[in-house]
Amino acid sequence: MSHHQNGSSDRIPQQHHHPVPPPMLSSYGSNSTLRSSPKRDHNPENYDDMRLKFNHLIFTSLEQYLPHHLLNRSREDKANYMVNILHRYLPESERVRIQKHKEYRRKILSNYTPLHKEIYSVHAENFFVPSFLQAIKENREAGFRRVMAEPVKGIFTFQMLQPKFCEKLISEVDHFERWVSQTKFRIMRPNTMNQYGAVLDDFGMDTMLDRLMNDFILPISRVFFTEVGGSTLDSHHGFIVEYGTNRDLELGFHVDDSEITLNICLGKEFSGGELFFRGVRCDEHVNTETQPEEIFDYSHVPGQAVLHCGRHRHGARPTTSGHRLNLILWCRSSVFREMKSYQRNFSSWCGECRRKKKERERISIAATKQELLRMSV
């Protein structure tokens, strides 16, 4: 086992997706601010029919955080207010990069002909195994737990995709990569750590993945991941990674640029490639030591999903033979990222924050006991 896998103090990278930065609001000017907590009883508007520069779901999520005097204003007024806030956090250089990325996508979509058009929109009965669909239909914690295992806290594994869908998705990615090779089109890879694979959103699967997140992941993350933004997911980054001979071999120890990560093995035949998990950490504690109870190794099974929070430190061991493809969906919450920027303590989800809090409590109790003993003498 390498020193990274043991949770050394070496710098742990965050896996990034460069072309379109995630929503990550920072400081606002004095005129445009958000409330620190949402107005839960306010029913937000739907913005999907407006021509906006940002994902319409971001506006729906942010609306509950608008100042009280704005909540009953027109939809256009609220959208303009939120656009001003979003523009503050996104510098001009990033906006230019986003525009270039849109043009890049447009070029692919106008030239690439899909092989399996039927997988570009969600057909639940053809995509998912019946047990998973039934749990989603019930939409209750008991139903989810019936089909999901939680081998360690915060990591859920479950059968999700039908073999036929896995085969079609692999075939579509192969077809896309052949097109890339034939046309000598320069494509962007999924993130800063994978040199192989493809971004599914870039060749037309963004609508399908949006629905996958909203209708099939959000109901689960709303139950199990509320403390890390699981109930306010509003954007995603979906991609395929490839491991094996002449592909990426392994993946170093890192955290994802997501609130929730869905990782599904599609196949094919392979050995090795196990994931190793080493505890959830906030930015400040990302390099701290791993506690024994945080060590968990996971072996991929085709069609089976693993769901975890993006801040759960992990990596992949070498794929020693064969060829492995995985579908990765990074699910993000702009609201959670904004709220996180106001906080300093994350003991509700960061293992090290929690450990330090318990240690402070232990010291405080011990000091109180000592003081009581001293007073009773």
Side-chain angles (χ1 to χ4, degrees):
M1 189 183 290
S2 77
H3 61 283
H4 277 313
Q5 293 161 19
N6 284 323
S8 77
S9 60
D10 284 21
R11 184 71 202 154
I12 296 171
Q14 173 161 307
Q15 204 175 6
H16 285 289
H17 160 228
H18 278 321
V20 182
M24 196 177 297
L25 312 185
S26 53
S27 59
Y28 306 126
S30 57
N31 296 328
S32 298
T33 57
L34 295 179
R35 300 151 60 97
S36 59
S37 59
K39 187 167 171 51
R40 297 278 180 206
D41 58 353
H42 174 72
N43 194 21
E45 308 255 17
N46 192 330
Y47 294 87
D48 63 352
D49 61 330
M50 294 181 75
R51 292 177 65 84
L52 299 163
K53 288 183 179 178
F54 303 92
N55 187 311
H56 65 92
L57 292 167
I58 295 173
F59 292 86
T60 302
S61 289
L62 281 182
E63 189 177 319
Q64 289 186 320
Y65 291 83
L66 289 178
H68 183 74
H69 70 278
L70 279 173
L71 291 175
N72 295 319
R73 296 276 284 273
S74 72
R75 192 171 62 144
E76 287 69 24
D77 283 352
K78 288 185 280 194
N80 286 336
Y81 188 90
M82 289 186 275
V83 164
N84 285 336
I85 287 174
L86 291 165
H87 276 164
R88 276 198 192 88
Y89 93 82
L90 203 58
E92 181 62 28
S93 60
E94 296 293 3
R95 296 211 289 276
V96 168
R97 190 159 67 170
I98 286 174
Q99 189 54 41
K100 282 184 177 175
H101 192 70
K102 279 183 180 174
E103 288 162 14
Y104 161 82
R105 276 189 183 180
R106 210 161 25 240
K107 206 174 283 185
I108 292 176
L109 293 172
S110 59
N111 290 287
Y112 174 67
T113 306
L115 181 65
H116 299 290
K117 282 191 175 173
E118 66 274 17
I119 66 170
Y120 282 72
S121 54
V122 173
H123 301 284
E125 288 74 18
N126 298 332
F127 282 26
F128 307 113
V129 297
S131 58
F132 175 75
L133 268 185
Q134 183 58 35
I136 292 294
K137 191 178 175 183
E138 287 176 26
N139 197 19
R140 295 202 321 270
E141 181 175 347
F144 296 140
R145 288 201 180 274
R146 194 171 60 246
V147 299
M148 299 165 77
E150 189 179 12
V152 296
K153 186 172 168 53
I155 297 175
F156 296 89
T157 64
F158 49 100
Q159 242 0 84
M160 186 179 186
L161 296 180
Q162 292 193 25
K164 194 76 181 165
F165 173 76
C166 293
E167 287 166 19
K168 283 186 176 180
L169 186 51
I170 289 172
S171 166
E172 188 67 47
V173 171
D174 283 346
H175 180 66
F176 176 67
E177 291 189 335
R178 278 198 301 275
W179 174 81
V180 166
S181 175
Q182 287 162 7
T183 57
K184 296 187 169 47
F185 192 92
R186 279 194 66 198
I187 63 164
M188 295 174 182
R189 293 303 175 182
N191 53 64
T192 52
M193 295 182 76
N194 287 95
Q195 303 308 308
Y196 295 88
V199 179
L200 297 175
D201 299 308
D202 286 349
F203 59 96
M205 292 199 181
D206 47 332
T207 304
M208 181 271 281
L209 293 174
D210 221 30
R211 195 176 155 208
L212 172 61
M213 179 183 79
N214 285 309
D215 293 357
F216 301 94
I217 300 307
L218 188 55
I220 300 169
S221 64
R222 201 181 270 136
V223 172
F224 298 116
F225 294 103
T226 49
E227 72 282 1
V228 288
S231 54
T232 54
L233 302 177
D234 53 27
S235 66
H236 75 266
H237 174 50
F239 54 98
I240 298 288
V241 289
E242 298 184 56
Y243 295 92
T245 314
N246 301 322
R247 292 290 186 271
D248 287 316
L249 187 62
E250 61 188 337
L251 187 63
F253 199 37
H254 66 284
V255 291
D256 294 338
D257 187 5
S258 69
E259 270 59 72
I260 309 297
T261 293
L262 174 71
N263 183 339
I264 315 168
C265 181
L266 301 175
K268 308 175 182 176
E269 296 290 323
F270 62 90
S271 53
E274 300 86 358
L275 291 179
F276 55 91
F277 289 92
R278 297 295 183 263
V280 181
R281 295 291 185 273
C282 64
D283 288 338
E284 186 184 344
H285 297 133
V286 74
N287 297 301
T288 54
E289 201 174 318
T290 300
Q291 301 304 312
E293 66 274 13
E294 295 177 317
I295 294 172
F296 174 64
D297 288 14
Y298 169 78
S299 296
H300 289 289
V301 178
Q304 187 166 291
V306 55
L307 190 71
H308 60 88
C309 84
R311 299 298 309 181
H312 212 131
R313 303 179 301 178
H314 63 286
R317 294 209 176 87
T319 298
T320 50
S321 67
H323 187 198
R324 175 170 68 84
L325 287 92
N326 282 54
L327 164 61
I328 313 288
L329 189 68
W330 285 350
C331 305
R332 296 162 171 158
S333 166
S334 53
V335 168
F336 176 75
R337 292 181 181 211
E338 171 56 16
M339 295 304 113
K340 197 170 71 166
S341 69
Y342 300 141
Q343 297 167 354
R344 290 289 167 268
N345 184 288
F346 305 103
S347 53
S348 65
W349 54 270
C350 169
E352 187 64 12
C353 283
R354 190 183 304 118
R355 192 187 67 76
K356 288 191 167 188
K357 184 182 178 184
K358 282 182 179 173
E359 182 62 15
R360 285 194 301 272
E361 287 170 354
R362 189 189 64 76
I363 291 167
S364 175
I365 290 165
T368 304
K369 279 181 179 175
Q370 283 294 109
E371 183 62 19
L372 289 169
L373 284 170
R374 191 184 63 77
M375 288 168 69
S376 63
V377 171

